Amino acid sequence: MNATFLIARKEAGELLLNLRGLTWLITVSVCLSAFGLLLVSNTELSLLDNAQVVYDMTGIVTALSGLLALVVGTDTIAGERERGSLVPLLLTPAPRNGILFGKLGGVAIAWTIMYFLSLPYLWAVGSTGQNMLDGMLVLAILGTPVVLGFGFFGLVLGGYFIGFCLGDRSRRPDFRTLCVGL
Amino acid sequence: MLLSVESLKLSINNIPILDGVHLSLNEGEIHGFLGPNGAGKSTTINAILGLLKADSGHIKIFGKEAATDVEGRMIRKQTGVLPEQNGFYEWMTAANYLEFFSSLYGHSINKEKIQEGLHRVGLDPKNGQIIGTFSHGMKQRLGLARALVSNPRLIILDEPTNGLDPRGRRDIHDLLLSLAAKGAGILLCTHLLDDVERLCSSVGVIVDGRTIADGAVNDLLRNTENVNNFRLRVTSPPSAKELLNLTENVLLISHDDEWYHLHIDTGTPPETVWQQLFDRGWKIAEIHRERGGVEDMYLSLTEGKIS
């Protein structure tokens, strides 16, 4: 089986089967519930029209997903290094690019989970489904590059932290080293 | 030769960590890699594994230097490692964990093989038991199972018996000896000199990033005899009173039948002690300098060299 796919699947497990990942998902859900409630109240008071509320919700989902991607991206490198599980992974014959894309795949899976998690909220704030399809499309088209970008930034940030804290600061690491951390 | 390291130098943040490390490992050999804390053992291992880049020197694994990523991957495919930092995916079961790593090594592994791999290291987790619930010793065994999952030719182990109970240690010893008998080369980095004494045919000692001794255990033991301990055969056994009144600077360690084991304080010439014992009526037939174990050898080699 392809190393990228294996690592991405492992990252998905890290998010869905690990208490740490589940805690993040639940936290994001609670935030979405709070924002959803505020937006519904606005709609009820006729302060915002329906389309506006749906697009506001897509913005909130994108922002929260970006934050989650940043956390997942950083944790997948720096967190794993801290927990000692990155080194055994790097010692396998899996190509470095495969590990990097696998980690990015994990971010993509986190975004997919967030996307489906946000659908009931979009449905709820849009007065039972109005403008929902438009909202989903906007979320897919605009949210995907934003979230993956944040995830990739998180990977680089994680790699940088490792390099900064543990590595050799006198050497300038190449880009892939920066991302994978070693 | 499976592994050879020559004149390895490495610095981190311009601080020299390794300054001339030599090491060699052949097929079927277990090589002990010893040194005090902070001597550079783990750094050497990280450099061998390509996790740290050396400033100068040569590292050859299977006769090749891993210059490219592809070569590095080929080497890693035949190398099993139990690193110092040994983390796990705590939400996985041991079987899933081994399956994951086996797949990364390019092997499709069935349930029987996984169970065999776990049994080999003495691990028998309950069905569905996640790694997060494992004890330290169980995790150590799982790390070893992971290192051996690809049937590697070169095995690098950093403190493999750390945290294991005595029976577990003995089982791992037997496993390593059987792997070496099948031709695998094992680099064993440990502080447990009992492990070295029992397992290793050769050792390298590193102090302050520099190799100070490297060779067959027997050769090194021969060169580092315990200078102050002697074994005497006495034909007419001395009385208990005589034993209690040994000359100054001499301590009786033990005696059995005709053999007496003595320790002479540093600075006292043994010849003067023999003369004093002779004057007291001891009939000494034989004198042998005691040969120390690996621990004596290690202490003797590192004495005064640890900064």
Side-chain angles (χ1 to χ4, degrees):
Chain A
M1 210 181 285
N2 185 292
T4 303
F5 177 72
L6 280 166
I7 292 165
R9 199 177 64 173
K10 192 273 293 177
E11 294 301 332
E14 201 86 53
L15 195 65
L16 291 171
L17 301 174
N18 194 2
L19 189 64
R20 192 175 48 252
L22 282 173
T23 306
W24 273 106
L25 285 179
I26 290 167
T27 307
V28 169
S29 302
V30 170
C31 290
L32 283 178
S33 299
F35 282 118
L37 196 65
L38 283 172
L39 289 172
V40 167
S41 309
N42 277 324
T43 317
E44 293 294 318
L45 294 169
S46 303
L47 296 174
L48 293 169
D49 68 25
N50 185 276
Q52 180 70 47
V53 168
V54 171
Y55 294 127
D56 279 354
M57 194 64 192
T58 58
I60 291 165
V61 170
T62 306
L64 284 175
S65 301
L67 180 70
L68 183 73
L70 189 69
V71 170
V72 169
T74 311
D75 183 75
T76 202
I77 300 286
E80 272 214 39
R81 176 68 167 83
E82 192 64 27
R83 292 187 289 276
S85 54
L86 184 65
V87 170
L89 191 64
L90 291 171
L91 294 176
T92 65
R96 294 290 191 260
N97 288 335
I99 295 175
L100 184 61
F101 287 122
K103 300 279 186 190
L104 258 181
V107 174
I109 289 168
W111 165 231
T112 309
I113 293 166
M114 275 300 296
Y115 185 84
F116 285 105
L117 199 69
S118 67
L119 295 184
Y121 295 98
L122 284 177
W123 183 82
V125 296
S127 300
T128 60
Q130 288 178 56
N131 297 308
M132 188 175 166
L133 278 177
D134 291 344
M136 283 170 65
L137 203 63
V138 167
L139 199 58
I141 293 170
L142 295 181
T144 303
V146 170
V147 173
L148 290 184
F150 268 96
F152 190 69
F153 179 64
L155 285 174
V156 175
L157 203 64
Y160 179 74
F161 277 142
I162 291 172
F164 186 76
C165 298
L166 303 160
D168 188 346
R169 271 163 270 169
S170 63
R171 285 196 184 107
R172 192 185 171 138
D174 64 21
F175 180 69
R176 203 177 52 182
T177 305
L178 201 65
C179 297
V180 183
L182 286 163
Chain B
M1 187 172 284
L2 286 180
L3 170 67
S4 87
V5 177
E6 287 169 30
S7 311
L8 185 67
K9 291 187 179 184
L10 188 149
S11 56
I12 295 178
N13 298 329
N14 296 321
I15 300 165
I17 306 294
L18 303 180
D19 185 23
V21 173
H22 305 273
L23 205 152
S24 62
L25 177 68
N26 292 307
E27 288 183 354
E29 184 185 8
I30 304 180
H31 181 87
F33 193 42
L34 309 175
N37 295 326
K41 299 186 296 294
S42 296
T43 306
T44 305
I45 288 178
N46 284 341
I48 291 169
L49 298 172
L51 298 177
L52 287 172
K53 201 174 175 193
D55 297 334
S56 64
H58 299 280
I59 300 169
K60 285 185 181 175
I61 303 177
F62 311 126
K64 290 180 196 163
E65 290 200 45
T68 65
D69 193 25
V70 176
E71 282 173 340
R73 284 171 58 197
M74 289 307 293
I75 287 169
R76 288 200 294 275
K77 202 162 190 168
Q78 300 175 71
T79 308
V81 185
L82 180 71
E84 185 188 30
Q85 270 203 324
N86 195 21
F88 298 89
Y89 307 124
E90 308 242 322
W91 49 274
M92 280 189 185
T93 63
N96 289 343
Y97 186 74
L98 275 197
E99 191 183 357
F100 172 67
F101 273 93
S102 159
S103 303
L104 285 177
Y105 276 93
H107 302 294
S108 57
I109 190 168
N110 58 26
K111 274 188 178 175
E112 285 75 35
K113 286 272 180 196
I114 290 171
Q115 286 306 320
E116 193 185 308
L118 293 173
H119 280 298
R120 188 155 68 150
V121 294
L123 204 56
D124 189 18
K126 294 179 190 80
N127 276 342
Q129 188 181 0
I130 59 167
I131 298 170
T133 62
F134 282 15
S135 68
H136 180 69
M138 287 171 82
K139 285 182 181 171
Q140 192 73 356
R141 286 166 192 258
L142 182 59
L144 199 57
R146 182 194 61 218
L148 304 179
V149 79
S150 62
N151 294 320
R153 283 169 64 199
L154 172 63
I155 303 167
I156 298 176
L157 306 172
D158 203 341
E159 305 279 358
T161 56
N162 202 6
L164 294 185
D165 55 70
R167 182 168 291 280
R169 266 183 72 196
R170 182 54 65 95
D171 291 344
I172 297 302
H173 285 178
D174 292 343
L175 174 64
L176 297 182
L177 288 169
S178 74
L179 288 168
K182 285 177 190 162
I186 301 171
L187 180 66
L188 181 69
C189 182
T190 182
H191 286 292
L192 299 172
L193 299 174
D194 288 353
D195 287 3
V196 176
E197 200 148 10
R198 188 166 145 74
L199 299 172
C200 299
S201 48
S202 63
V203 289
V205 182
I206 173 175
V207 176
D208 286 340
R210 194 183 299 242
T211 300
I212 57 162
D214 187 30
V217 172
N218 286 336
D219 291 345
L220 291 173
L221 285 176
R222 213 170 292 134
N223 295 336
T224 53
E225 287 174 325
N226 194 333
V227 290
N228 295 326
N229 286 11
F230 293 87
R231 191 158 51 98
L232 277 62
R233 191 164 71 81
V234 182
T235 48
S236 59
S239 66
K241 191 181 170 189
E242 270 185 277
L243 287 175
L244 288 171
N245 292 315
L246 278 174
T247 65
E248 270 182 38
N249 308 324
V250 178
L251 179 73
L252 177 70
I253 300 169
S254 64
H255 77 96
D256 47 77
D257 297 331
E258 293 183 327
W259 289 99
Y260 289 76
H261 301 265
L262 304 180
H263 173 83
I264 300 174
D265 284 354
T266 312
T268 307
E271 295 73 24
T272 59
V273 175
W274 310 148
Q275 187 59 52
Q276 285 171 3
L277 292 176
F278 184 75
D279 293 344
R280 288 168 182 236
W282 284 47
K283 289 191 176 156
I284 302 168
E286 291 176 55
I287 300 173
H288 297 278
R289 206 182 279 272
E290 292 267 32
R291 212 174 119 176
V294 172
E295 186 172 343
D296 291 320
M297 176 197 78
Y298 174 78
L299 293 174
S300 151
L301 285 169
T302 57
E303 194 172 21
K305 289 179 181 163
I306 301 170
S307 55

